[in-house]
């Protein structure tokens, strides 16, 4: 506003100076002439001062706005600032900023301000297209003090129709190209803009173009970054969902759901290529649960799997748009994701499905392996169950006949024969124990092991167990100490299984503790549980081995362990039994110092699972 006022004053001052000079040409009385000359001198001085001041003001404004422009990266904000600054700097009536549309090449009006800093309506878009096109074509600014009389533009439709007078237009240049223009005009007055103004506007346009380019770049980067972050979030959610399950059918569902969600597909199939090349649909869009594959889909799937590349087809009047993405699992193109919808799929859908296929491949492979392990495990359990059942009968028979012979029921037995029969008997006992453990484990794994729990006193069963295996401790001259809390509450457990657990743990303490060693059995109440500990001062277990202790067939490499008979099944079975009775089991141990195996049993009947 200030510069507009100054500009108007300057125009009046100029008019005054012209009148004074004309006056001087007349024959004037001496006094009047000297007064006129003094007035001319004063007005010259004033004009010079005002011009200098106006120039300074403009430079100041230019500096101020340039600084502000550099600080903002929001494109709309930058454009608004640019136009406000232009209005302020030039004293124009209206100002427009137009940018060349990067896609269409046409000019888009991006900011329009009048002198009151209000955006101008579309109907006021009465600008000189000729001037603008000239600037864009030549890349040079244009100033016209009175377009109506300017030989370059006079007579042009827009100039005449919109009664345009003062016009100034400067190109916005970036990376050597005209990216748009700044156009200012004044429809009422002539002579508003000078060549100095155009210089100023051009300088300013250079600054503005840089700010616009930076803001555009930032917006592009920002948009790209936001899109990438959103994509990464989606992918991490997919990873999370896929890794949370190992069930094959669930994997198929999750993959399909994401494919539909992110591509806007109306139909989605996950297809598996069988070893004989037949295609099986693993899952289809609800309610289409068992869809039939059309020939063109079958062909597209084979092509995608053979070429290991995405097959894309556009919609036709007969068929929807389709994408077929191969899923390479364990190096083999085994599956394909098929999506369809009425409208064509974009690049983003292809990119997304390609990323999804990598994740689905890993998840499907894991699920398939898991399924295979499960199947193998079931087969193993079934096998063990059959074998143990079949072994029991002949073993009972061997044991029975061996005992009969040993007792002399079929004639006298020599000392040597008796010793051989003892060896047979011991080995049959070992085999019976193994068959019994295997049979228990297979029963547990198939959920067929039934407990018969009741409220019992732990102390009684500790005593019973010790009585039955005391001879083994005596053989190694090991001491046994009992440390059982008085008035220990009853536990809810299966007495036979409790004896089995205690036997396993005390037997191990006996086996893995040298002669003369010390074994202690403790029992104390811990909250709602009774905790039983079997402590020995034997060979101990290192940290690595402790992690594997309760897995099937684990036996330490320690040579003391290898000297002892065993199958590495006892602790695994023990843990299963304690778990089934609602307790916990653990170990604390230090090599060469000894081990404490503990387990707990509930003092209340656990709620059914
Ligand atoms: P087994 O005794 O038949 O080998 P277990 O399942 O009972 O099988 O025990 C597994 C392994 O755990 C043993 O082979 C041994 O290495 C280790 N272990 C078990 N109890 C003890 C113990 N009290 N002291 C040291 N090592 C033990």
């Amino acid at each position: 506003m200030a510069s507009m006022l100054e500009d108007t004053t300057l125009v009046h001052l100029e008019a005054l100076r012209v009148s004074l000079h004309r006056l001087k040409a007349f024959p004037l009385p001496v006094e009047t002439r000297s007064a006129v000359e003094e007035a001319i001198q004063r007005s010259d001085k004033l004009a010079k001062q005002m011009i200098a001041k106006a120039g300074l003001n403009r430079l100041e404004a230019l500096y101020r706005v340039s600084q502000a422009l550099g600080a903002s990266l929001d494109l709309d904000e930058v454009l608004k600032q640019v136009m406000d600054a232009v209005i302020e700097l030039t004293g124009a009536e209206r100002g427009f900023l137009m940018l060349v549309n990067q896609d269409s090449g046409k000019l888009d009006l991006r900011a329009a301000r009048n002198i009151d800093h209000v955006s101008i309506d579309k109907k006021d878009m009465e600008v000189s297209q000729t001037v603008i096109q000239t600037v864009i074509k030549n890349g040079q600014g244009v100033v016209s003090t009175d377009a109506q009389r300017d030989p370059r533009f006079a007579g042009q439709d827009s100039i005449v129709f919109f009664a345009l007078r003062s016009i100034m237009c400067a190109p916005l240049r970036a990376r050597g190209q005209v990216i748009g223009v700044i156009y200012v005009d004044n429809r009422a007055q002539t002579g508003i803009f000078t060549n100095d103004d155009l210089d100023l506007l051009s300088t300013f346009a250079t600054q503005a173009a840089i700010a616009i380019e930076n803001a555009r770049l930032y917006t592009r980067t920002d948009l790209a970054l936001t899109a990438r972050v959103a994509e990464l979030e989606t992918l991490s959610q997919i990873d999370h969902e896929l890794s949370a399950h190992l069930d094959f059918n669930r994997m198929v569902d999750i993959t399909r759901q994401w494919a539909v969600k992110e591509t806007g597909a109306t139909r989605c199939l996950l297809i598996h290529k069988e070893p004989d090349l037949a295609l099986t649909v693993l899952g289809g869009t609800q309610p289409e649960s068992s869809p039939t594959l059309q020939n063109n889909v079958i062909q597209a799937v084979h092509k995608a799997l053979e070429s290991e590349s995405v097959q894309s087809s556009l919609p036709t009047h007969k068929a929807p748009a389709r994408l077929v993405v191969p899923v390479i699992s364990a190096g083999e193109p085994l599956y394909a994701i098929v999506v369809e919808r009425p409208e064509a799929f974009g690049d983003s859908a292809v990119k997304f499905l390609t990323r999804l296929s990598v994740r689905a491949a890993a998840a499907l492979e894991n699920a398939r392996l898991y399924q295979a392990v499960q199947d193998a495990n079931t087969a193993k359990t079934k096998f063990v169950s059959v074998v143990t059942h079949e072994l029991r009968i002949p073993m009972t028979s061997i044991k029975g006949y061996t005992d009969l012979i040993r007792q002399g029921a079929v004639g006298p037995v020599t000392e040597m024969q008796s010793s051989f029969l003892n060896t047979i008997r011991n080995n049959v006992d070992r085999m019976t124990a193994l068959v019994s453990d295997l049979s228990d484990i297979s029963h547990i794994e198939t959920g067929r092991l039934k407990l018969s729990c009741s409220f019992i006193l732990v102390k009684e069963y500790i005593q019973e167990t010790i009585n039955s295996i005391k001879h083994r401790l005596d053989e190694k001259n090991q001491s046994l100490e009992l440390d059982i809390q008085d008035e220990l509450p009853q536990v809810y457990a299966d007495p036979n299984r409790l004896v089995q657990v205690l036997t396993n743990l005390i037997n191990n303490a006996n086996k893995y503790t040298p002669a003369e060693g010390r074994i202690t059995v403790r029992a104390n109440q811990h909250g709602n549980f009774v905790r039983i500990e079997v402590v020995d001062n034997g060979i101990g277990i290192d940290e690595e081995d402790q992690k594997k202790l309760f897995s099937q067939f684990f036996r330490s490499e320690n040579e003391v362990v290898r000297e002892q008979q065993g199958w590495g099944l006892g602790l695994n079975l023990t843990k299963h039994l304690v778990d089934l009775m609602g307790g916990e089991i653990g170990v604390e141990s230090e090599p060469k110092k000894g081990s404490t195996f503990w387990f707990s049993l509930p003092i209340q009947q656990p709620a059914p699972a």
Side-chain angles (χ1 to χ4, degrees):
M1 233 15 202
S3 80
M4 172 77 176
L5 253 179
E6 278 153 11
D7 284 349
T8 321
T9 318
L10 259 173
V11 172
H12 289 304
L13 194 61
E14 185 59 22
L16 178 70
R17 283 173 62 224
V18 172
S19 314
L20 284 173
H21 278 286
R22 282 207 193 118
L23 200 61
K24 215 178 94 181
F26 288 103
L28 296 170
V30 180
E31 276 173 29
T32 316
R33 173 173 295 278
S34 67
V36 168
E37 270 171 1
E38 199 187 328
I40 288 175
Q41 274 175 14
R42 280 192 179 185
S43 64
D44 279 355
K45 201 171 158 198
L46 193 61
K48 267 190 197 147
Q49 278 173 356
M50 282 197 72
I51 287 167
K53 190 163 173 261
L56 254 180
N57 278 350
R58 287 173 179 208
L59 283 176
E60 227 178 79
L62 179 66
Y63 176 69
R64 203 162 18 88
V65 175
S66 307
Q67 272 203 327
L69 283 184
S72 177
L73 283 172
D74 173 350
L75 184 58
D76 285 333
E77 187 51 37
V78 166
L79 297 181
K80 251 196 293 177
Q81 285 180 14
V82 167
M83 287 323 293
D84 287 346
V86 166
I87 302 276
E88 188 181 340
L89 287 173
T90 62
E93 184 196 8
R94 315 177 302 166
F96 302 91
L97 191 145
M98 289 165 228
L99 293 180
V100 180
N101 187 309
Q102 284 162 328
D103 297 325
S104 66
K106 290 190 181 147
L107 273 183
D108 287 343
L109 175 72
R110 294 299 302 263
R113 313 284 274 185
N114 68 4
I115 205 145
D116 296 324
H117 294 206
V118 179
S119 292
I120 293 172
D121 288 345
K122 199 106 188 137
K123 66 177 167 49
D124 278 330
M125 265 296 295
E126 297 164 347
V127 294
S128 168
Q129 294 300 338
T130 325
V131 171
I132 291 171
Q133 291 310 330
T134 312
V135 170
I136 292 194
K137 198 165 138 237
N138 302 336
Q140 298 286 333
V142 163
V143 62
S144 180
T145 47
D146 186 354
Q148 300 290 333
R149 288 170 216 277
D150 194 321
R152 292 173 299 174
F153 313 116
Q156 300 284 347
D157 286 354
S158 51
I159 306 278
V160 178
F161 282 153
F162 311 141
L164 304 175
R165 293 195 184 277
S166 299
I167 299 177
M168 186 158 65
C169 184
L172 289 161
R173 293 173 153 283
R175 290 173 284 112
Q177 276 186 334
V178 177
I179 60 161
V181 294
I182 297 179
Y183 172 99
V184 290
D185 68 10
N186 196 314
R187 285 171 295 184
Q189 293 186 38
T190 56
I192 287 277
F193 310 123
T194 62
N195 278 331
D196 284 352
D197 287 324
L198 183 62
D199 284 348
L200 194 73
L201 187 66
S202 302
T203 314
F204 177 70
T206 311
Q207 304 269 1
I210 295 169
I212 290 169
E213 271 303 283
N214 284 346
R216 267 184 172 173
L217 202 68
Y218 173 76
T219 310
R220 270 205 299 274
T221 319
D222 198 36
L223 281 178
L225 210 66
T226 314
R228 185 81 187 114
V229 168
E231 190 192 334
L232 284 178
E233 272 171 7
T234 305
L235 291 176
S236 108
Q237 206 181 331
I238 294 174
D239 282 342
H240 179 76
E241 281 182 28
L242 287 176
S243 57
H245 306 273
L246 274 170
D247 174 44
F248 190 81
N249 292 334
R250 187 93 182 82
M251 295 295 109
V252 171
D253 276 350
I254 293 172
T255 308
R256 277 194 322 97
Q257 278 159 12
W258 277 105
V260 168
K261 187 168 173 226
E262 294 294 311
T263 62
T266 48
R267 185 177 190 231
C268 174
L269 307 173
L270 192 66
I271 291 175
H272 178 225
K273 184 180 77 177
E274 305 288 345
D276 62 359
L277 298 186
L279 299 179
T280 324
V281 180
L282 296 174
T285 326
Q286 301 297 338
E288 184 194 28
S289 44
S290 56
T292 41
L293 288 181
Q294 297 116 305
N295 269 344
N296 51 354
V297 179
I298 296 176
Q299 276 167 13
V301 170
H302 278 304
K303 202 160 173 207
L305 294 179
E306 270 158 32
S307 62
E308 298 189 8
S309 65
V310 178
Q311 299 299 307
S312 162
S313 57
L314 292 169
T316 62
H317 61 285
K318 275 198 266 160
R322 183 181 307 117
L323 286 178
V324 182
V325 183
V327 179
I328 321 275
S329 192
E332 286 277 316
L334 288 183
Y335 308 92
I337 304 170
V338 180
V339 286
E340 289 178 353
R341 67 174 199 185
E343 315 82 37
F345 287 101
D347 267 1
S348 57
V350 177
K351 272 192 198 139
F352 174 78
L353 289 180
T354 310
R355 294 206 165 109
L356 178 66
S357 74
V358 176
R359 284 160 170 83
L364 289 170
E365 178 61 9
N366 286 348
R368 201 186 56 75
L369 288 176
Y370 180 71
Q371 189 66 49
V373 170
Q374 292 285 85
D375 291 349
N377 220 18
T378 312
K380 179 212 78 181
T381 309
K382 212 167 157 190
F383 171 77
V384 170
S385 163
V386 172
V387 169
T388 50
H389 183 76
E390 293 302 318
L391 280 176
R392 263 179 214 277
I393 302 160
M395 274 178 6
T396 316
S397 152
I398 297 171
K399 195 172 163 193
Y401 284 114
T402 314
D403 282 347
L404 274 178
I405 301 169
R406 218 167 43 125
Q407 285 154 13
V410 285
V413 181
T414 64
E415 212 172 297
M416 189 181 264
Q417 284 169 337
S418 173
S419 142
F420 286 174
L421 288 168
N422 272 341
T423 307
I424 295 175
R425 167 79 209 237
N426 284 343
N427 279 305
V428 171
D429 278 351
R430 277 184 59 216
M431 281 178 74
T432 309
L434 170 65
V435 167
S436 164
D437 279 2
L438 282 172
S439 161
D440 279 350
I441 288 173
S442 95
H443 276 84
I444 288 168
E445 285 177 350
T446 50
R448 286 183 295 142
L449 189 104
K450 297 281 170 268
L451 297 180
S452 68
C453 293
S454 55
F455 286 100
I456 52 171
L457 280 172
V458 164
K459 190 174 176 180
E460 282 179 18
Y461 295 94
I462 294 178
Q463 202 55 63
E464 187 187 312
T465 313
I466 287 171
N467 291 344
S468 71
I469 52 177
K470 180 81 172 57
H471 62 280
R472 297 204 184 149
L473 305 182
D474 293 342
E475 276 167 22
K476 286 180 85 175
N477 227 357
Q478 290 165 333
S479 70
L480 178 78
E481 198 182 312
L482 282 186
D483 176 5
I484 296 168
Q485 185 190 320
D486 291 337
E487 293 175 19
L488 198 58
Q490 289 185 320
V491 293
Y492 188 77
D494 179 327
N496 290 332
R497 297 303 177 182
L498 171 59
V499 169
Q500 196 176 349
V501 168
L502 283 166
T503 309
N504 271 338
L505 297 182
I506 301 173
N507 256 342
N508 279 350
N510 161 254
K511 285 199 288 184
Y512 305 120
T513 301
E516 317 284 332
R518 198 176 58 246
I519 295 168
T520 310
V521 180
R522 280 199 201 108
N524 288 289
Q525 184 179 356
H526 277 240
N528 288 332
F529 292 83
V530 166
R531 180 174 154 122
I532 301 142
E533 296 176 356
V534 177
V535 189
D536 66 52
N537 63 346
I539 58 169
I541 307 157
D542 65 32
E543 272 185 38
E544 270 311 298
D545 282 356
Q546 284 183 37
K547 292 180 201 152
K548 306 173 206 154
L549 267 189
F550 297 97
S551 50
Q552 274 177 21
F553 302 110
F554 169 75
R555 302 203 78 207
S556 158
E557 294 299 327
N558 188 318
E559 59 186 39
V560 180
V561 171
R562 295 291 154 157
E563 277 164 15
Q564 298 293 326
Q565 286 176 353
W567 307 95
L569 284 175
L571 285 181
N572 179 261
L573 180 57
T574 301
K575 179 170 168 32
H576 278 307
L577 294 174
V578 171
D579 285 349
L580 280 175
M581 289 190 281
E584 283 183 46
I585 188 164
V587 65
E588 279 133 37
S589 184
E590 209 179 313
K592 298 199 178 112
K593 291 258 168 75
S595 311
T596 299
F597 279 85
W598 61 265
F599 67 98
S600 61
L601 291 171
I603 57 178
Q604 278 148 10
Q605 185 171 354

